[in-house]
């Protein structure tokens, strides 16, 4: 069976920490979409590690980690990350596997990402500029180079063909970027990648499932950044929702069991696009400061606001979320008052569904207010010790989204999590 852990908001919900926490219960952790736009933070031996490409189960010696076909893979980032992981004594040649169908990010994808964003002016998506959009375009355009192709004699000629095509696109954008250093790093990293386990991912995972092994699919980004159901066009280029697990790993929907959604106790977004509950005031600043809300991949300040229950319920519906983990509850420890959004007010009407083209609407969030719990919760281990006011907050969320919050994370550390 396959359980899924994915983000219910605009990314950075704390998926890395939660995957790392649950990983000991699983045999395989598999990434099914996204690429190095992801930044998943975990603490290993009290040291902070940010993973972009490698699944967050890598630090558990017995766990096998798979980069699935739905991922776009930058060999340079992967190599860098393998070096970091090796310093912790992890042998990636033993417990990291890559699907031969995984699409490769080449240096010109990164350059094209820059070119495309620089053309957009006010309509900038705020991309991480890691080449994600252009790489997925080459996948659907049927031009991509895949991990399995790196082992083929025709790789270099295919690479040159692709680079030429990209160069023409960049000429159209009147954009020029010297990629010679990137290319040098790329080819070095490709050699390294070829030395890793490149496997038939779909048989690999299904054979393990048949043997009764437990798989966890690790999502990147968040449901509101999904290419179909997110706040388009301010989204990423993959299906971040649970349906992406089937196409991104080659497993049947019948094999999916628990869908564990991760949400912060409030909301953040990095990059452009609609964010109805965004706070532009001192409270937003306070959330950013207390939550250390700066991007794990780009270092950009994250936009902060109150929890948006309209969007959260939508995300639970689209994903078939069976349980919710609420992270960063401790960040709210010092607030006198908390708010959650229960409806969007548009032209004097309350709507409780996520509308099409949110970016073209003027949305005023309708807020429900709560007294803060004003207690340091970071050392709490048992549900009974959580403040009653926090429990009220959680109960309200449970009933609104019709999905139970089963864990509360109360700090970035591995052991800072409470089963509710
Ligand atoms: P991801 O992309 O979903 O894995 O999340 P990120 O790693 O980008 O961002 C989450 C940030 O919050 C990281 O810095 C984590 O160390 C931190 N974090 C995770 N859970 C908690 C929590 O419960 N409390 C606090 N204070 N920080 C947390
Ligand atoms: P994790 O896995 C937060 C955002 C970017 C931008 C938009 C498109 O760490 O939660 P892209 O690089 O995909 O072209 O950017 O999506 N974005 C993320 N925001 N967390 C992420 O990943 C993100 N990955 C992409 O900021 O707005
Ligand atoms: Mg992140």
């Amino acid at each position: 069976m396959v359980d899924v852990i994915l983000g219910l908001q605009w990314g950075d919900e704390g998926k890395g920490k939660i995957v790392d926490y649950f990983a000991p219960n699983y045999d395989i952790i598999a990434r099914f979409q996204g690429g190095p736009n992801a930044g998943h933070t975990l603490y290993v031996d009290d040291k902070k590690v940010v993973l972009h490409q490698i699944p967050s189960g890598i630090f558990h010696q017995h766990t096998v980690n798979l980069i699935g076909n739905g991922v776009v893979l930058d060999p340079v980032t992967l190599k860098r990350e393998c070096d970091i992981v090796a310093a912790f004594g992890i042998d990636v040649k033993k417990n990291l596997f890559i699907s031969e169908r995984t699409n490769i990010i080449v240096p010109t994808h990164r350059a094209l990402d820059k070119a495309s964003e620089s053309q957009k002016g006010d309509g900038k998506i705020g991309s991480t500029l890691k080449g994600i959009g252009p790489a997925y375009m080459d996948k659907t355009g049927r031009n991509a180079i895949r991990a399995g192709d790196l082992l083929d004699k025709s790789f270099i000629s295919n690479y040159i063909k692709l680079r030429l095509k990209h160069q023409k696109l960049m000429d159209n954008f009147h954009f020029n970027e010297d990629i010679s250093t990137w290319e040098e790093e790329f080819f070095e990293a490709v050699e390294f990648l070829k030395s890793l386990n490149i496997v038939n991912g779909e048989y690999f995972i299904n054979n393990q499932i048949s043997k009764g092994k437990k798989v966890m699919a690790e999502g990147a980004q968040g449901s509101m950044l999904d290419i179909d159901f997110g706040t388009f066009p301010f989204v990423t280029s993959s299906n971040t929702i649970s349906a992406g697990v089937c196409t991104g790993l080659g497993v049947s929907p019948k094999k999916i069991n628990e869908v564990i959604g991760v949400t912060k106790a409030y909301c953040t977004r990095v990059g452009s696009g609609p964010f109805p509950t965004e706070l532009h005031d001192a409270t937003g600043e306070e959330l950013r400061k207390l939550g250390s809300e700066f991007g794990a991949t780009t270092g950009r300040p994250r936009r902060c606001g109150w929890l948006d229950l309209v969007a959260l319920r939508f995300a639970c519906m689209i994903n078939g979320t069976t349980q919710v983990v609420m992270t960063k509850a401790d960040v709210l420890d010092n607030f006198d008052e908390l708010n959650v959004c229960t409806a969007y007010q548009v032209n004097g009407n309350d709507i409780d569904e996520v509308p099409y083209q949110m970016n073209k609407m003027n949305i005023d969030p309708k807020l429900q207010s709560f007294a803060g719990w004003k207690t340091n919760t970071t050392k709490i281990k048992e549900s009974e010790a959580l403040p009653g006011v926090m429990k009220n907050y959680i109960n309200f969320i449970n009933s609104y989204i019709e999905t139970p919050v089963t864990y509360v994370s109360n700090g970035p550390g591995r052991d800072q999590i409470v089963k509710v």
Side-chain angles (χ1 to χ4, degrees):
M1 278 309 222
V2 181
D3 291 341
V4 186
I5 290 191
L6 47 71
L8 295 173
Q9 299 173 305
W10 282 279
D12 301 330
E13 297 89 349
K15 299 173 292 293
K17 170 189 159 157
I18 302 305
V19 170
D20 176 53
Y21 174 75
F22 284 111
N25 306 331
Y26 291 85
D27 302 292
I28 302 176
I29 312 289
R31 276 277 306 268
F32 59 94
Q33 47 69 233
N37 48 349
H40 295 178
T41 313
L42 10 148
Y43 282 84
V44 192
D45 305 333
D46 291 329
K47 288 197 197 85
K48 179 176 166 173
V49 182
V50 181
L51 295 173
H52 304 284
Q53 293 272 194
I54 300 180
S56 302
I58 196 74
F59 292 104
H60 300 273
Q61 298 277 358
H62 79 282
T63 312
V64 166
N65 292 265
L66 174 70
I67 296 179
N69 59 279
V71 169
V72 284
L73 177 63
D74 185 337
V76 178
T77 311
L78 180 71
K79 181 169 182 292
R80 222 174 272 149
E81 223 161 271
C82 285
D83 290 344
I84 294 171
V85 164
F88 284 87
I90 302 293
D91 182 1
V92 286
K93 299 208 172 159
K94 205 177 99 214
N95 63 2
L96 179 66
F97 293 79
I98 298 155
S99 163
E100 56 199 355
R101 295 181 194 269
T102 304
N103 288 250
I104 299 294
I105 298 178
V106 299
T108 37
H109 282 140
R110 279 158 64 191
L112 271 174
D113 219 353
K114 261 185 160 178
S116 156
E117 279 283 79
S118 68
Q119 292 293 305
K120 286 198 154 115
D122 284 351
K124 256 192 197 28
I125 290 165
S127 162
T128 59
L129 304 179
K130 302 291 178 190
I132 308 300
Y136 278 116
M137 277 166 72
D138 274 333
K139 175 180 182 174
T140 50
R142 296 158 294 182
N143 298 306
I145 293 171
R146 309 199 284 183
D149 302 335
L150 301 176
L151 308 166
D152 203 277
K153 273 205 234 45
S154 59
F155 161 55
I156 294 290
S157 59
N158 287 339
Y159 172 82
I160 291 169
K161 232 191 286 172
L162 194 60
R163 190 182 61 184
L164 201 66
K165 174 181 161 265
H166 292 162
Q167 195 55 58
K168 283 187 189 147
L169 286 170
M170 280 189 277
D171 290 347
N172 283 344
F173 282 131
H174 303 291
F175 184 87
N176 205 4
E177 176 92 38
D178 179 9
I179 59 155
S180 50
T181 322
W182 291 359
E183 253 188 346
E184 228 171 86
E185 283 179 331
F186 174 75
F187 283 110
E188 204 185 305
V190 163
E191 283 313 304
F192 171 74
L193 174 48
K194 280 158 69 177
S195 74
L196 300 179
N197 302 296
I198 299 178
V199 297
N200 179 312
E202 57 279 20
Y203 278 107
F204 181 86
I205 205 156
N206 281 292
N207 286 340
Q208 297 291 325
I209 294 170
S210 303
K211 285 185 199 152
K213 301 279 185 194
K214 287 189 74 184
V215 177
M216 182 204 284
E218 172 181 0
Q221 290 78 57
S223 307
M224 298 307 285
L225 288 171
D226 181 90
I227 181 70
D228 283 282
F229 299 104
T231 46
F232 190 89
F234 302 97
V235 292
T236 190
S237 302
S238 64
N239 281 118
T240 59
I241 60 169
S242 55
V245 173
C246 299
T247 53
L249 293 175
V251 296
S252 146
K254 290 183 189 156
K255 298 272 159 56
I256 294 186
N257 184 36
E258 288 290 314
V259 179
I260 303 168
V262 186
T263 178
K264 281 178 187 167
Y266 50 98
C267 250
T268 64
R269 167 162 210 169
V270 61
S272 336
F275 182 2
T277 60
E278 182 170 11
L279 292 163
H280 298 278
D281 56 8
T283 311
E285 276 297 329
E286 195 70 358
L287 281 171
R288 186 172 309 114
K289 196 174 96 205
L290 294 170
S292 308
E293 294 296 357
F294 296 89
T297 298
T298 58
R300 291 177 291 176
R302 295 177 183 144
R303 300 155 64 193
C304 298
W306 297 122
L307 186 62
D308 181 343
L309 291 181
V310 179
L312 194 62
R313 182 164 62 186
F314 171 78
C316 286
M317 173 181 80
I318 298 292
N319 286 300
T321 309
T322 55
Q323 50 179 306
V324 171
V325 176
M326 189 172 90
T327 58
K328 304 193 92 158
D330 55 298
V331 174
L332 301 182
D333 280 357
N334 290 319
F335 284 81
D336 293 327
E337 187 196 13
L338 309 174
N339 286 286
V340 297
C341 169
T342 55
Y344 295 156
Q345 296 168 327
V346 184
N347 300 328
N349 297 318
D350 282 4
I351 49 176
D352 64 0
E353 294 186 353
V354 170
Y356 176 65
Q357 286 199 326
M358 244 161 127
N359 55 314
K360 297 208 172 134
M361 294 172 129
N362 220 339
I363 297 174
D364 232 353
K366 182 175 185 179
L367 298 174
Q368 165 91 28
S369 166
F370 293 82
W373 43 85
K374 306 281 285 176
T375 313
N376 182 336
T377 60
T378 56
K379 300 218 162 46
I380 294 177
K381 304 280 173 225
E382 306 289 337
S383 171
E384 295 71 46
L386 291 172
V389 181
M390 186 196 276
K391 285 185 181 158
N392 292 343
Y393 187 72
I394 293 171
N395 286 339
F396 187 85
I397 295 168
N398 284 344
S399 62
Y400 190 101
I401 63 174
E402 295 173 343
T403 315
V405 172
T406 50
Y407 288 85
V408 171
S409 171
N410 53 343
R414 258 182 172 169
D415 58 344
Q416 288 178 297
I417 189 160
V418 180
K419 191 168 185 343
V420 181

